[in-house]
Amino acid sequence: MQSEKMGQQVVQQEIALDSYLSTLLNEIPSNAELDKQEIKLDIKPQKVKQLKTSSQVKAKVAVKLVNKESEVTKVLKPLAVMPDWARNEFQALFFKVDKLTLATPLTELLRTICIDKDPTKIPGQPSWFMGLLDTHEQRIGVLDTGQLIFGKTIGQQRNLKKKPFQRILITADGKWGLACDEILSIGKLEPDKVRWRTLRQKKPWLIGTVIEELTAVIDVNHLVPHRKTS
Amino acid sequence: MSEDNKQNDPIMQWVTFRLGDEKYGINVMQVQEVLRITEIAPVPGAPSYVLGIINLRGNVVTVIDTRNRFGLMSKETDDSSRVVIIETEEHIIGILVDSVAEVVELRASEIETAPNVGNDETSKYIQGVTSRDNELLILVDLNKFLSDEEKQELDMF
């Protein structure tokens, strides 16, 4: 009984943090979301009643209950979803993309550089792929972190000519660069000072939140694309 | 370099041209000639990537809007603009570019595959990239510049 209560509390905290971060990350709903809302409004309640028999509804409720239980079980085991580097105290780099402060473990980064020239645009690539840049005898693919984090609709509203990114975080494998506005600091983070997201089907790169600062902790390995060869 | 190495690592010549801030290269063997900009007659109902047609010594040649193809903003032509007449596997077409730069020699080993993070269809004509004079040169495979459907469309002009 007590563990059930604890589970509920944990779920509520997680929902609150998720909702806080979702507000930060999705200040403006995308067109697709607006479309969905419109579709929902078009459904007439009477039609829904006709489509679902009582046994189907019961079955659905049962499935939902089972899912809830398994969610609570997952929430109670955050260690199972925490990356290896998060098991002990770790050093994180705090940086800014637009107005959002983000943190990522130093172990996932190679170095940071200033953007002194524009990346070379490759035709036919998605808008979040800013292009290729040769640096320190390495060729990196530069990514528009704003678009990756805020989504295409909000990310593309930024005029990169007028407000270009200033710095690039290079991933540990040296293949990718995450463009950002500002490097803030390097700080130590205790695993218990971070609320780890246990359900990461959506935004798998968002792995937790620093509770005191309400800063999103991101896993850059889940943010960068899998490199294909053409 | 020994004879063996030369055979394994052949040298190819590339005609380079500019579009916006970037420099591109196409195989010199596929370039027939480079023309100053002449009157390009628009073709009604042509797809957006077709600028129009020109009369090249009695032959009708379709001119492709390379900026449109590469997803760049369109730009007024000027004194530097050129139409590069190229020979692909089945067609002779013209491609409008901002300017033609030079012919460079590249060893096969100098060419690296460009990362492809998007739709395979849209970037299959990018053969590779190489670093040249402190900037990246994007190499274009002209045989894949147009899809089969697009090539069929060209036959109708």
Side-chain angles (χ1 to χ4, degrees):
Chain A
M1 194 68 182
Q2 209 175 353
S3 66
E4 248 177 57
K5 265 190 178 176
M6 269 178 64
Q8 279 173 352
Q9 272 179 350
V10 173
V11 170
Q12 278 166 1
Q13 279 181 23
E14 181 144 323
I15 289 169
L17 277 170
D18 266 3
S19 127
Y20 167 76
L21 282 172
S22 296
T23 316
L24 278 179
L25 296 170
N26 299 313
E27 281 175 342
I28 306 162
S30 66
N31 286 342
E33 279 167 351
L34 287 173
D35 288 348
K36 270 183 202 168
Q37 282 170 8
E38 279 167 15
I39 293 164
K40 272 182 188 170
L41 288 172
D42 284 340
I43 299 170
K44 289 175 184 167
Q46 279 183 341
K47 272 193 177 175
V48 175
K49 268 184 192 172
Q50 281 170 359
L51 289 171
K52 285 182 181 173
T53 64
S54 60
S55 60
Q56 278 174 321
V57 173
K58 272 181 195 165
K60 214 172 182 183
V61 170
V63 170
K64 267 189 181 173
L65 283 172
V66 170
N67 284 344
K68 271 280 176 220
E69 272 174 28
S70 59
E71 277 173 21
V72 171
T73 324
K74 274 183 195 170
V75 170
L76 287 172
K77 292 176 182 171
L79 271 174
V81 289
M82 277 162 60
D84 288 342
W85 47 259
R87 303 289 162 104
N88 302 305
E89 183 186 75
F90 62 95
Q91 282 196 311
L93 181 87
F94 291 80
F95 62 101
K96 255 189 153 172
V97 177
D98 256 318
K99 289 170 189 165
L100 187 68
T101 303
L102 300 160
T104 195
L106 278 187
T107 50
E108 292 199 355
L109 301 174
L110 192 64
R111 63 172 161 268
T112 69
I113 55 165
C114 282
I115 303 181
D116 49 8
K117 62 175 180 178
D118 288 337
T120 303
K121 268 256 172 221
I122 306 291
Q125 300 293 325
S127 57
W128 47 260
F129 184 67
M130 294 174 69
L132 293 174
L133 193 68
D134 279 352
T135 168
H136 293 93
E137 296 174 357
Q138 259 175 327
R139 186 163 297 153
I140 56 166
V142 184
L143 310 175
D144 182 335
T145 318
Q147 278 197 50
L148 293 176
I149 284 180
F150 301 117
K152 222 174 166 183
T153 318
I154 300 171
Q156 275 188 325
Q157 285 171 5
R158 179 179 178 140
N159 184 340
L160 287 174
K161 288 269 177 217
K162 282 185 184 166
K163 199 182 164 197
F165 288 114
Q166 302 295 322
R167 308 277 303 197
I168 294 177
L169 316 182
I170 300 178
T171 53
D173 61 5
K175 288 179 178 171
W176 301 104
L178 292 164
C180 68
D181 287 299
E182 198 182 345
I183 308 273
L184 298 172
S185 59
I186 292 172
K188 280 184 182 170
L189 283 177
E190 299 273 355
D192 58 356
K193 297 278 165 60
V194 176
R195 163 67 59 207
W196 300 100
R197 280 179 88 219
T198 48
L199 306 169
R200 299 211 290 261
Q201 284 89 347
K202 279 185 186 174
K203 298 183 179 136
W205 44 265
L206 180 60
I207 51 171
T209 314
V210 185
I211 298 165
E212 272 182 29
E213 288 100 349
L214 291 176
T215 301
V217 181
I218 63 164
D219 184 348
V220 294
N221 282 326
H222 281 97
L223 200 59
V224 299
H226 296 289
R227 202 163 186 164
K228 293 188 238 168
T229 50
S230 57
Chain B
M1 186 177 272
S2 71
E3 272 311 304
D4 265 5
N5 278 347
K6 276 182 189 171
Q7 276 182 354
N8 292 336
D9 193 10
I11 295 176
M12 276 171 79
Q13 289 187 312
W14 300 81
V15 176
T16 66
F17 62 86
R18 281 204 173 272
L19 275 180
D21 297 330
E22 318 303 353
K23 203 175 192 182
Y24 299 84
I26 47 178
N27 186 344
V28 77
M29 300 302 284
Q30 289 182 287
V31 177
Q32 282 199 348
E33 58 189 298
V34 178
L35 307 173
R36 282 185 180 278
I37 200 85
T38 55
E39 194 185 337
I40 300 170
V43 181
S48 59
Y49 62 89
V50 172
L51 271 177
I53 48 175
I54 55 168
N55 182 341
L56 183 64
R57 294 184 291 276
N59 293 316
V60 174
V61 174
T62 307
V63 180
I64 305 291
D65 184 348
T66 322
R67 275 182 166 263
N68 175 293
R69 176 100 297 211
F70 287 176
L72 302 170
M73 301 276 278
S74 57
K75 174 184 166 276
E76 286 288 314
T77 54
D78 56 29
D79 282 351
S80 309
S81 304
R82 297 286 183 274
V83 174
V84 184
I85 306 296
I86 55 168
E87 196 180 343
T88 64
E89 281 163 345
E90 294 140 18
H91 291 89
I92 290 176
I93 55 171
I95 58 169
L96 177 66
V97 299
D98 289 356
S99 64
V100 168
E102 57 184 334
V103 177
V104 298
E105 285 190 344
L106 292 175
R107 292 203 171 275
S109 59
E110 289 177 278
I111 302 168
E112 276 184 40
T113 315
N116 179 17
V117 293
N119 179 350
D120 289 334
E121 263 313 293
T122 53
S123 56
K124 63 181 180 184
Y125 50 78
I126 303 299
Q127 193 167 337
V129 287
T130 189
S131 192
R132 190 96 191 164
D133 302 329
N134 246 348
E135 68 177 331
L136 278 176
L137 176 63
I138 304 164
L139 304 172
V140 181
D141 183 349
L142 290 171
N143 292 327
K144 293 176 183 166
F145 193 56
L146 296 173
S147 69
D148 290 342
E149 269 179 27
E150 288 167 340
K151 283 175 193 164
Q152 279 172 8
E153 261 182 325
L154 290 190
D155 290 335
M156 289 186 261
F157 303 137

